[in-house]
Amino acid sequence: MTKISTTVSHTAADMMQWTGRAELFETARARYWYQLAKPYGFDSTGQHIGLIGFACDQGVRRNQGRVGARAAPPLIRQAFATLPVIASVQTRYDNQLATLLGDAGDIHCHDDDDFATNILEQAQLKYADKVSTIVEKGGLPIGLGGGHAIAYGSFLGLWQALQQTDITNDIDALPRIGIINFDAHLDIRQSDVATSGTPFRQIAEHLDAHGQPFNYCCIGVSRFSNTAALFDRAEQLGVHIISDEDCHYQPWQILADQVISFINQVDVVYLTIDMDCLPASVVPGVSAPAAYGIELRFVERMVKTIMATGKVKMADIAEINPTFDIDGRSCKVAARLLATIIEQHLLTL
């Protein structure tokens, strides 16, 4: 019998991930993110960002992908910890730097390297509870995957928090959620179990069951990474697709206008970045490497555009797989995108 368990960890040892160089001869403005991170205060308020690890790749295993993504959260933290805090953030938050960033620990999915019933679903629910608490306290939760099955947990956490704020219990009064996913894959597969390839179909079904529209924009979609059946389903669900080829050949402003138009139709945005949207030469350590992919500069510029709207209330980064990384390259790219999300969020508050 396969032993399965889902645990939540956040000990003093976890904070050892937050280390970096010391600038003994510089001014106080020579700060790095490792110097600001503290355990997330679930019993208090005030922290603007809450990082949550989703150390799980059972969804990738079920989806027949290459496993290893569950090891990513601490390594992404380590890469991010050594990045400097940009000058504009330091200037704006000079007296509040100690309250900017909280680490909410990791949700661990222990599947003993086998297919395990319910273990993914249990992890998603525990993760969603943390997400929900951070949203309710006015912070921005940022998930660190783990497989892209993190997406369903991220959505559920946001959904739960929005329901808590609706004191009228009027489903029609709930904010409209828009999902923006950078991904080579649509992740709307049919399956008898949840996988890393099903989260957005699950979200669509959840919203439909509650009488809510499914607003989903997927950027970087590859025609060689999705079957005709998936494109048919995307059309049925009204998915807004921007292909990897569009990202290379369409003028920037046309694509930016499309994304802004999408955002203007919703009240709240859930932003998710599957790192396999980037070329395998740039990000080799992912569960499903892309032969083509979209450029990092495009992703970063679009992320800044999305964050500048002020509507992003949930974000995550998924599918980093350290087993196949080279010189920590993939984790460094993930850390840069994490820093971009955090910095842009803080500058729009």
Side-chain angles (χ1 to χ4, degrees):
M1 180 180 294
T2 301
K3 176 185 177 183
I4 60 174
S5 65
T6 305
T7 61
V8 183
S9 79
H10 198 163
T11 65
D14 294 324
M15 295 306 293
M16 293 298 291
Q17 298 163 10
W18 297 99
T19 58
R21 65 181 295 161
E23 298 282 7
L24 301 178
F25 306 104
E26 287 287 359
T27 69
R29 283 170 63 82
R31 288 190 179 98
Y32 297 88
W33 282 109
Y34 82 87
Q35 295 169 301
L36 304 185
K38 290 179 171 53
Y40 187 82
F42 284 99
D43 297 327
S44 61
T45 58
Q47 287 171 309
H48 295 293
I49 308 288
L51 299 183
I52 318 169
F54 187 71
C56 176
D57 54 17
Q58 173 67 199
V60 176
R61 188 183 305 281
R62 295 179 185 182
N63 200 38
Q64 304 174 51
R66 54 184 196 174
V67 297
R70 67 186 179 195
L75 297 178
I76 296 173
R77 283 189 187 90
Q78 287 174 13
F80 169 70
T82 62
L83 298 181
V85 183
I86 63 171
S88 53
V89 169
Q90 293 207 54
T91 299
R92 180 164 182 175
Y93 292 93
D94 184 39
N95 297 319
Q96 307 169 49
L97 289 173
T99 64
L100 294 187
L101 182 65
D103 185 353
D106 292 341
I107 302 296
H108 290 274
C109 181
H110 303 292
D111 60 12
D112 288 346
D113 298 325
D114 201 354
F115 290 88
T117 304
N118 297 325
I119 186 67
L120 170 61
E121 292 78 4
Q122 293 168 5
Q124 287 171 323
L125 292 175
K126 288 181 179 292
Y127 168 80
D129 286 343
K130 283 197 169 189
V131 167
S132 180
T133 300
I134 294 171
V135 174
E136 289 171 24
K137 290 180 175 295
L140 174 70
I142 304 179
L144 305 176
H148 213 178
I150 192 177
Y152 190 57
S154 291
F155 166 81
L156 281 180
L158 178 59
W159 172 267
Q160 289 169 194
L162 294 177
Q163 282 192 312
Q164 290 297 321
T165 60
D166 177 29
I167 59 175
T168 67
N169 291 319
D170 180 3
I171 199 70
D172 293 327
L174 283 174
R176 293 165 296 173
I177 301 174
I179 302 159
I180 300 179
N181 177 26
F182 289 86
D183 204 332
H185 310 90
L186 289 161
D187 286 349
I188 51 175
R189 289 181 182 274
Q190 291 284 13
S191 174
D192 59 345
V193 292
T195 76
S196 61
T198 65
F200 302 104
R201 176 186 59 77
Q202 293 175 265
I203 292 171
E205 291 173 352
H206 179 100
L207 288 166
D208 183 63
H210 289 85
Q212 293 290 294
F214 179 53
N215 298 294
Y216 177 35
C217 174
C218 196
I219 303 172
V221 176
S222 169
R223 59 193 173 97
F224 294 111
S225 298
N226 300 272
T227 64
L230 289 172
F231 280 110
D232 291 344
R233 188 165 303 117
E235 184 175 1
Q236 294 164 6
L237 292 172
V239 180
H240 185 92
I241 294 175
I242 297 176
S243 74
D244 52 1
E245 293 166 297
D246 290 335
C247 295
H248 281 279
Y249 299 120
Q250 288 286 341
W252 160 260
Q253 197 57 53
I254 289 177
L255 300 181
D257 288 346
Q258 287 182 34
V259 172
I260 292 299
S261 176
F262 174 85
I263 293 173
N264 287 340
Q265 297 173 44
V266 300
D267 302 305
V268 170
V269 170
Y270 159 39
L271 171 64
T272 177
I273 304 175
D274 186 320
M275 296 297 292
D276 72 22
C277 71
L278 295 155
S281 59
V282 176
V283 182
V286 291
S287 301
Y292 191 59
I294 56 181
E295 294 182 345
L296 176 58
R297 63 178 179 178
F298 175 89
V299 175
E300 185 173 281
R301 187 179 183 187
M302 191 62 81
V303 166
K304 289 180 179 179
T305 299
I306 295 164
M307 294 301 302
T309 66
K311 289 188 176 182
V312 176
K313 303 302 179 185
M314 174 68 216
D316 61 46
I317 294 172
E319 297 285 1
I320 286 291
N321 188 331
T323 303
F324 301 96
D325 206 359
I326 300 171
D327 194 29
R329 189 185 306 166
S330 306
C331 289
K332 291 174 183 176
V333 175
R336 181 181 174 98
L337 290 172
L338 173 60
T340 299
I341 292 170
I342 290 175
E343 290 162 355
Q344 293 302 308
H345 175 68
L346 293 173
L347 294 175
T348 57
L349 290 178

